[in-house]
Amino acid sequence: QAQIVESGGGLVQPGGSLRLSCAASGFTFSSYAMRWYRQAPGKERELVATISNIGGSTSYTDSVKGRFTVSRVNDKNTVLLQMNSLKPEDTAVYYCHTTMGFKDYWGQGTQVTVSS
């Protein structure tokens, strides 16, 4: 049974940094691309970053380019999202995600709040 668990969220001041972690289990982690999504109150879930199965390719939504970095450690079945220069508009629940076949797998999410 595939499982995804996020951690690392919290409250941070504008301009600060956080690193989110996503721990995966129950599947061959190195075979699948992984994604980070976020959902702010009253808004639709938004794709933030994608990393290919072996980490050679990454992509980001425009609003986080140059501030966020996605990486993965396949030996540890872990995906990371380093978030720098955080802004209040980055406040959201952040979710880790993958797709295997026609099925989507999501973690429970971790809250990130950027506020002074």
Side-chain angles (χ1 to χ4, degrees), residues 30-72:
S30 59
S31 294
Y32 298 95
M34 299 295 296
R35 300 169 191 84
W36 285 98
Y37 283 78
R38 67 185 179 187
Q39 187 165 21
K43 294 189 176 182
E44 293 190 356
R45 196 168 292 191
E46 171 191 31
L47 177 61
V48 174
T50 301
I51 186 165
S52 61
N53 62 322
I54 58 172
S57 176
T58 59
S59 63
Y60 303 90
T61 191
D62 285 346
S63 61
V64 308
K65 285 180 181 176
R67 300 188 297 122
F68 290 12
T69 302
V70 61
S71 60
R72 65 191 296 161

Side-chain angles (χ1 to χ4, degrees), residues 17-36:
S17 297
L18 278 177
R19 189 176 76 166
L20 305 184
S21 294
C22 167
S25 61
F27 61 101
T28 306
F29 181 74
S30 59
S31 294
Y32 298 95
M34 299 295 296
R35 300 169 191 84
W36 285 98

Side-chain angles (χ1 to χ4, degrees), residues 39-116:
Q39 187 165 21
K43 294 189 176 182
E44 293 190 356
R45 196 168 292 191
E46 171 191 31
L47 177 61
V48 174
T50 301
I51 186 165
S52 61
N53 62 322
I54 58 172
S57 176
T58 59
S59 63
Y60 303 90
T61 191
D62 285 346
S63 61
V64 308
K65 285 180 181 176
R67 300 188 297 122
F68 290 12
T69 302
V70 61
S71 60
R72 65 191 296 161
V73 184
N74 282 349
D75 288 349
K76 296 187 176 180
N77 287 9
T78 298
V79 182
L80 303 172
L81 185 66
Q82 178 67 42
M83 306 186 296
N84 298 330
S85 302
L86 282 161
K87 304 175 181 180
E89 51 263 43
D90 294 318
T91 295
V93 178
Y94 283 72
Y95 298 91
C96 189
H97 166 272
T98 193
T99 299
M100 287 183 274
F102 296 105
K103 189 169 182 179
D104 290 320
Y105 294 87
W106 297 91
Q108 82 289 350
T110 186
Q111 176 70 47
V112 172
T113 303
V114 184
S115 175
S116 55

